Amino acid sequence: MVDSCFRCGAELGAPPALCASCGAVQPFRADLSLFAVAGLPETYDLDVQALRTQVLALQKGLHPDRFANAEPAARRYSLEWSTRLNEALAILRDPLRRADYLLQLQGVDALGEQVKVADPELLMTQMIYRERLEDLVAARDLSGMEALRQEVDTAVTGVVQRLRGLLGILPCAEPEAAGAALRELQFLDKLFGEIGRSEESLQNA
């Protein structure tokens, strides 16, 4: 399917938001994925800097201020596109949210409230990490917390690499394995935040 400008009929590029020929902002396409909204291929191994550069360029051209004196429909379209672009940047630049989004596109809700963490190894890992953090906070051991931060950061890198393999070809052929990796990444991401807040609290005490 080739998208064409509703005003002049010219062929539209990707994403089909602005007509390069007449400059008209196009009706918002709610059916487009976040990748398509950003004009990028649907992949987990995404160049985040390229994503940021692309979205910022699109936001500049679609900013509602540019259409402040346009007809109401154009103002609405620019606002809808801009809002969706902000969402695309927020979700796709994050390895955790990007993986979750890709799985949801194929109907897999790996992080839903109804999903229970059944992996005993992950449950044990969570318990050990949290006990270590509690002990470090109680001992006010900032150097130990920094070492733990680095350890968790290394673990995050490992899980992201695993997800790159599992989501390298879409749709994912092993959604259960990808979901398990995603839940592990979610835990590590939360733990990383808890370590940072604990360090800040001790430093300001």
Side-chain angles (χ1 to χ4, degrees), residues 108-119:
V108 179
D109 185 7
L111 301 180
E113 293 183 359
Q114 75 280 5
V115 179
K116 294 183 179 180
V117 180
D119 183 351

Side-chain angles (χ1 to χ4, degrees), residues 7-57:
R7 178 169 292 169
C8 72
E11 183 177 336
L12 299 172
L18 276 175
C19 177
S21 296
C22 70
V25 61
Q26 302 298 301
F28 177 65
R29 290 271 306 279
D31 62 302
L32 295 178
S33 74
L34 294 179
F35 291 93
V37 166
L40 294 171
E42 195 169 287
T43 176
Y44 183 69
D45 196 13
L46 191 67
D47 184 333
V48 175
Q49 186 55 51
L51 167 69
R52 184 176 289 108
T53 299
Q54 173 85 336
V55 168
L56 290 178

Side-chain angles (χ1 to χ4, degrees), residues 129 132-133 136 141-157 188 191-200 203:
Y129 268 131
R132 285 177 60 188
L133 179 57
L136 290 168
D141 186 353
L142 286 171
S143 62
M145 292 177 73
E146 177 58 28
L148 180 60
R149 174 203 290 275
Q150 293 177 8
E151 183 180 331
V152 172
D153 190 47
T154 299
V156 166
T157 300
L188 292 170
L191 179 62
F192 198 86
E194 289 173 14
I195 294 171
R197 288 189 292 273
S198 296
E199 286 179 319
E200 184 178 358
Q203 289 168 347

Side-chain angles (χ1 to χ4, degrees), residues 168-183:
I169 298 177
L170 298 172
C172 176
E174 300 180 73
E176 290 187 6
L182 191 57
R183 288 187 289 276

